[in-house]
């Protein structure tokens, strides 16, 4: 089934650990995004990609990194997790083209807690 | 600076009452505006976009460039409309970078 998948759904981890949040989509979308959201706050764009080997930083500074080696896969990595990284991370994708095609499809999110 | 403002964190209305969720934006140019909704235990999803001029689940939103607003309206609220609503704007043409507001939680009371 065409969808966008995020794993894990919840992650509790200690300070200093390296983590990778997975995001995959089977909808043939070219554009993918990572958003960070704290409770009661807006979604902040931290990374985006317009296609394979294309990655850009978003408006919110983040210590995370991303890669886009395959169209369907857009993982986010934190080399050394800190308590300030505790947040919800949402992955999204959107189809090619603009105008009437333009919309974001979101994954279920990963709630990250760094102790 | 490009910004989306949703002044109400929480809006409570009774079933059958009219609903208006406010959204104001600051953007120099012709914006593309959207409303996204997140129902309990579901993903964030598109509700409607101004370019389509559509009505979804009884909701409409009109872009008012003079007031830089894109308020979401429904004449008669239903309990199933209870959800978190986010107004969003595409920040720059061709970049597909969305800017989101802080969201408004709508509670429809029986």
């Amino acid at each position: 089934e065409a969808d966008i998948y995020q794993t894990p759904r919840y992650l509790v981890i200690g300070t200093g650990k390296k983590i990778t949040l997975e995001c995959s989509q089977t909808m043939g979308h070219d554009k993918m995004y990572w958003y960070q959201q704290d409770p009661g706050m807006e979604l902040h764009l931290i990374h985006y990609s317009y296609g394979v080997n294309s990655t850009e930083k978003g408006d919110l500074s983040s210590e995370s990194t991303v890669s886009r080696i395959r169209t369907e896969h857009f993982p986010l990595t934190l080399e050394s997790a800190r308590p300030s990284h505790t947040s919800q991370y949402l992955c999204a994708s959107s189809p090619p083209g603009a105008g009437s095609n333009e919309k974001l499809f979101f994954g279920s999110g990963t709630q990250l807690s760094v102790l | 600076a490009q910004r989306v403002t949703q002044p109400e964190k929480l809006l409570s209305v009774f079933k059958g009452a009219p609903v208006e969720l406010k959204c104001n934006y600051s953007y120099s140019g012709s914006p593309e505006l959207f409303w996204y909704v997140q129902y309990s235990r579901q993903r964030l999803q598109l509700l409607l976009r101004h370019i389509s001029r559509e009505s979804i689940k009884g909701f409409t939103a009109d872009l008012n460039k003079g007031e830089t607003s894109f308020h979401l309206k429904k004449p008669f609220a239903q309990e199933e409309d209870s959800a978190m609503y986010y107004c969003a704007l595409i920040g720059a043409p061709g970049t597909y970078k969305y800017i989101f507001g802080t969201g408004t939680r709508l509670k429809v009371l029986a």
Side-chain angles (χ1 to χ4, degrees):
Chain A
E1 182 181 337
D3 204 348
I4 178 165
Y5 304 93
Q6 280 189 252
T7 57
R9 185 73 179 88
Y10 301 95
L11 180 61
V12 181
I13 202 161
T15 297
K17 300 290 186 184
K18 178 180 179 179
I19 58 168
T20 296
L21 308 184
E22 299 288 348
C23 177
S24 295
Q25 52 91 9
T26 55
M27 295 184 284
H29 290 171
D30 54 347
K31 300 183 285 292
M32 296 188 75
Y33 310 81
W34 277 103
Y35 286 88
Q36 184 175 340
Q37 184 182 29
D38 294 318
M41 304 295 288
E42 61 262 56
L43 282 72
H44 287 290
L45 181 66
I46 51 175
H47 297 283
Y48 60 101
S49 167
Y50 293 154
V52 171
N53 294 326
S54 150
T55 61
E56 302 285 344
K57 286 190 178 293
D59 298 324
L60 182 68
S61 174
S62 173
E63 294 164 347
S64 58
T65 58
V66 292
S67 62
R68 189 91 183 273
I69 299 171
R70 301 195 323 262
T71 301
E72 61 273 18
H73 194 212
F74 192 43
L76 181 145
T77 298
L78 276 166
E79 290 293 332
S80 179
R82 295 207 301 270
S84 60
H85 296 138
T86 295
S87 189
Q88 172 156 258
Y89 293 84
L90 289 171
C91 182
S93 67
S94 63
S100 59
N101 269 348
E102 191 53 55
K103 64 185 284 187
L104 288 173
F105 292 79
F106 282 90
S108 298
T110 294
Q111 180 62 50
L112 173 65
S113 297
V114 184
L115 307 177
Chain B
Q2 297 156 355
R3 170 170 277 179
V4 175
T5 302
Q6 294 180 251
E8 303 141 329
K9 281 195 176 295
L10 173 65
L11 182 63
S12 296
V13 301
F14 285 102
K15 177 182 172 182
V19 173
E20 182 179 67
L21 300 168
K22 296 190 188 309
C23 172
N24 289 91
Y25 65 90
S26 64
Y27 179 76
S28 54
S30 297
E32 293 187 49
L33 285 143
F34 305 78
W35 277 98
Y36 282 79
V37 61
Q38 187 167 26
Y39 301 103
S40 179
R41 299 189 184 86
Q42 294 188 29
R43 302 181 193 184
L44 197 56
Q45 59 186 290
L46 178 70
L47 178 63
L48 56 78
R49 59 197 132 190
H50 93 271
I51 196 171
S52 301
R53 297 182 178 275
E54 57 203 344
S55 173
I56 303 293
K57 299 185 178 183
F59 284 99
T60 59
D62 292 319
L63 177 61
N64 186 324
K65 292 187 178 181
E67 295 182 358
T68 59
S69 68
F70 189 55
H71 303 327
L72 183 68
K73 299 177 184 179
K74 184 170 182 176
F76 307 103
Q78 304 297 314
E79 288 182 76
E80 55 266 29
D81 296 329
S82 295
M84 194 74 182
Y85 291 81
Y86 293 92
C87 184
L89 170 153
I90 288 188
T95 66
Y96 310 105
K97 289 172 63 177
Y98 284 75
I99 297 168
F100 283 84
T102 51
T104 297
R105 180 166 297 283
L106 174 65
K107 285 191 176 180
V108 181
L109 309 170

